[in-house]
Amino acid sequence: MKGEFEFIEELKRSFGAPGGVLGIGDDCAVIPVGGDDMLVSTDMMMEGTHFIMDRISPYQLGWKSAASSFSDIAAMGGAPVGAFLALSIPSGLRDSWTDGFMGGFGDVSREYGFPLLGGDTTASPDRVSVCVTVLGKAPHGQCKRRDAARPGDLVCVTGTLGDSAAGLDVVLNGRDLTEAARALVDRHYLPRPRIREGIALAGCGGVHAMMDISDGIGSDLRRIMEASGVGFSIDTGRIPMSGELASYCRACGSDPYDFAVGGGEDYELLFTVAPGIEAPVAHTVIGRTVEGNSIVWNGSDKDFVGFDHFKGR
Amino acid sequence: MKGEFEFIEELKRSFGAPGGVLGIGDDCAVIPVGGDDMLVSTDMMMEGTHFIMDRISPYQLGWKSAASSFSDIAAMGGAPVGAFLALSIPSGLRDSWTDGFMGGFGDVSREYGFPLLGGDTTASPDRVSVCVTVLGKAPHGQCKRRDAARPGDLVCVTGTLGDSAAGLDVVLNGRDLTEAARALVDRHYLPRPRIREGIALAGCGGVHAMMDISDGIGSDLRRIMEASGVGFSIDTGRIPMSGELASYCRACGSDPYDFAVGGGEDYELLFTVAPGIEAPVAHTVIGRTVEGNSIVWNGSDKDFVGFDHFKGR
């Protein structure tokens, strides 16, 4: 069976977007309408693949399915317009489950300004399936894409990395819910999309490429590399990590870099900015873009992430 | 468990749309952007609820999932902008299935001018789940809603009704695939959204309310009735039916009205127009809007559809 990336590449080839429209391949599609650009993204979460019912509360699932989608709008610097929810649920599921789900969905929607504008509710024979479509907007030509990094840019991230993956580790391994562990679990289940920061960065001309960190910085740098045709030199020592992550890793003897470099779902922003330009949001510089098409970690051309470091190959 | 309508009513109450935006409750949400209105709709189809894998070919499923969504744009008179597809498929499914699905999706998308602009492909533990989001646009204030019918309007439909439901009957009962039966099956699996007609009707000021016929004209008239606060007087003898439906019903001794009045998924347009105005597309007048909040069938206030007529209650 084709992999997801192969399938997407095929679709990109067979479904060209019309002139002026950015179609398949970035965090959102970008569609010029009037003097604005509409940003649109859709994401599906399937029970048994993306979540297990007895490991996530309905409130957390509602929050996370909305927040992770909003993050796609943040990733390009869009302002919120609205959300659409398609929900397929087994008839045996209690109303309290649906109320919990909509509670989480509603809380994050209101907090970040994405009103629920429509959707579809249907019966499912067994599993829950959730599809969230989000709309954002930006002044025409202003949103940030993955393909705009230039050699010599500084590579920056917002917030701290690894908390979400460590939170999942807490859950999967049934670790003690210390204060630090609890904070990490919240980062995993109740992520906070960087909408405000994305809008500020989109308004800054010196910011070139941008995306959100959903698969882990190792994979996500690669996306910018492939789209922009630049390489990266990253100093892992500068990757920002939270006190909670440090404390959790000390207590259980884990390597925080496993979470911070290899772990996904942080929903922080990854962006490149021209040297000499001060990005208008709190951020950490973790490296530079360079000529070429490889990622150099701490001066070595050995692949730090995903392969050598974590799987020993 | 709450029914779908109850759930949607709850959502409407708890998620108010911002000023100027039409949110939950019509065929699409309508969002003013620049000088235009963006139309957005999302629909989910779940294996085992909406389709059974050995009864529908992947090509037909791809076509139908796209076409039925495009029909929501036609329903309000929008012009095509693009489509987004979220597809969750079991890993055991062969590439030929996905290729067939995308073939049908692609053919109808190209024919009606909805480029695939994005989406999400994910693994599913077992069942196929399809979520299609469609975007259309119309000049600001021009698209047609369900709540705009006025007493004294003529009630009109495009095309013929009942073919799709009869096509399903052919499949479910394993009827002989005569030429007529085959045409009905195609109407069921390969519906043709009335995009061109919808745009023409949206441009006609005398057209008041409009929607597409997805659940059957009995149910769908009720939606306009509730949204507009008008009643209907319908002459069932004027409901347009195809020669294929007549021929099929003669051959198997069925009542064509069962399909034409009670059956869904025709994806024709249902609209009301001020008397004296000639609607700019081929159509049939089937009755009038009246004061009140009931549907009168052939001069009787007995409920013709859905209850008395079909289920004997």
Side-chain angles (χ1 to χ4, degrees), chain B residues 211-252:
Chain B
M211 67 182 296
D212 66 333
I213 303 177
S214 55
D215 291 344
I217 193 160
S219 308
D220 290 333
L221 281 170
R222 196 165 292 278
R223 305 279 169 78
I224 293 183
M225 183 175 84
E226 284 162 4
S228 295
V230 296
F232 289 99
S233 174
I234 303 296
D235 179 355
T236 54
R238 297 171 74 174
I239 289 176
M241 290 186 272
S242 70
E244 288 84 359
L245 178 63
S247 154
Y248 174 70
C249 287
R250 256 196 317 276
C252 64

Side-chain angles (χ1 to χ4, degrees), chain A residues 107-170:
Chain A
D107 281 352
V108 69
S109 297
R110 277 182 287 267
E111 180 164 343
Y112 289 93
F114 285 85
L116 182 68
L117 298 181
D120 192 19
T121 55
T122 63
S124 165
D126 36 35
R127 294 177 194 277
V128 170
S129 174
V130 183
C131 185
V132 180
T133 303
V134 284
L135 270 71
K137 65 178 177 179
H140 181 59
Q142 192 174 289
C143 58
K144 301 295 182 186
R145 304 162 48 146
R146 297 179 180 179
D147 62 5
R150 301 179 202 170
D153 283 353
L154 302 176
V155 179
C156 310
V157 295
T158 58
T160 58
L161 302 188
D163 292 344
S164 175
L168 180 62
D169 187 73
V170 171

Side-chain angles (χ1 to χ4, degrees), chain B residues 193-205:
Chain B
R194 294 288 191 180
I195 294 292
R196 194 176 49 76
E197 291 83 352
I199 294 170
L201 290 166
C204 173

Side-chain angles (χ1 to χ4, degrees), chain B:
Chain B
M1 196 181 159
K2 285 169 204 159
E4 181 179 356
F5 293 110
E6 195 187 341
F7 183 60
I8 291 172
E9 280 306 310
E10 259 190 41
L11 292 182
K12 268 173 81 169
R13 281 193 299 273
S14 51
F15 291 89
V21 172
L22 176 66
I24 298 165
D26 212 306
D27 287 294
C28 301
V30 184
I31 307 165
V33 185
D36 284 329
D37 284 337
M38 292 291 293
L39 281 63
V40 187
S41 174
T42 192
D43 281 294
M44 189 177 265
M45 294 177 79
M46 176 63 97
E47 180 185 345
T49 298
H50 298 91
F51 59 93
I52 296 167
M53 291 292 265
D54 62 4
R55 284 278 168 78
I56 190 166
S57 75
Y59 183 94
Q60 289 167 335
L61 183 63
W63 179 292
K64 188 164 183 172
S65 61
S68 59
S69 297
F70 299 166
S71 182
D72 283 324
I73 299 295
M76 301 190 80
V81 169
F84 292 78
L85 169 65
L87 188 59
S88 190
I89 43 181
S91 61
L93 215 58
R94 284 204 300 259
D95 285 347
S96 61
W97 190 91
T98 317
D99 292 344
F101 181 92
M102 292 313 305
F105 195 99
D107 281 352
V108 69
S109 298
R110 277 182 287 267
E111 180 165 342
Y112 289 92
F114 284 85
L116 182 69
L117 298 181
D120 192 19
T121 55
T122 63
S124 164
D126 36 37
R127 293 177 195 277
V128 170
S129 175
V130 184
C131 185
V132 180
T133 303
V134 283
L135 270 71
K137 66 177 176 180
H140 182 58
Q142 192 174 289
C143 59
K144 302 296 180 185
R145 303 163 49 146
R146 298 178 180 180
D147 62 5
R150 301 179 201 169
D153 282 354
L154 302 177
V155 179
C156 310
V157 295
T158 59
T160 57
L161 302 189
D163 293 343
S164 175
L168 180 62
D169 188 73
V170 171
V171 175
L172 293 182
N173 295 302
R175 308 278 194 193
D176 288 346
L177 282 179
T178 59
E179 198 176 323
R182 206 180 295 268
L184 298 172
V185 170
D186 275 355
R187 283 288 306 261
H188 181 70
Y189 284 129
L190 305 172
R192 309 198 68 82
R194 294 288 191 180
I195 294 292
R196 194 176 49 76
E197 291 83 352
I199 294 170
L201 290 166
C204 173
V207 172
H208 293 153
M210 185 158 75
M211 67 182 296
D212 66 333
I213 303 177
S214 55
D215 291 344
I217 193 160
S219 308
D220 290 333
L221 281 170
R222 196 165 292 278
R223 305 279 169 78
I224 293 183
M225 183 175 84
E226 284 162 4
S228 295
V230 296
F232 289 99
S233 174
I234 303 296
D235 179 355
T236 54
R238 297 171 74 174
I239 289 176
M241 290 186 272
S242 70
E244 288 84 359
L245 178 63
S247 154
Y248 174 70
C249 287
R250 256 196 317 276
C252 64
S254 298
D255 180 352
Y257 286 97
D258 284 0
F259 300 121
V261 181
E265 303 196 336
D266 284 312
Y267 302 113
E268 295 293 348
L269 297 177
L270 166 64
F271 60 95
T272 79
V273 59
I277 301 288
E278 187 57 29
V281 305
H283 67 279
T284 306
V285 177
I286 62 166
R288 279 186 173 273
T289 53
V290 296
E291 304 274 356
N293 61 348
S294 66
I295 306 178
V296 172
W297 300 91
N298 304 325
S300 154
D301 62 357
K302 244 186 125 186
D303 197 346
F304 184 82
V305 215
F307 308 95
D308 298 300
H309 184 71
F310 293 113
K311 293 180 190 156
R313 56 191 159 87

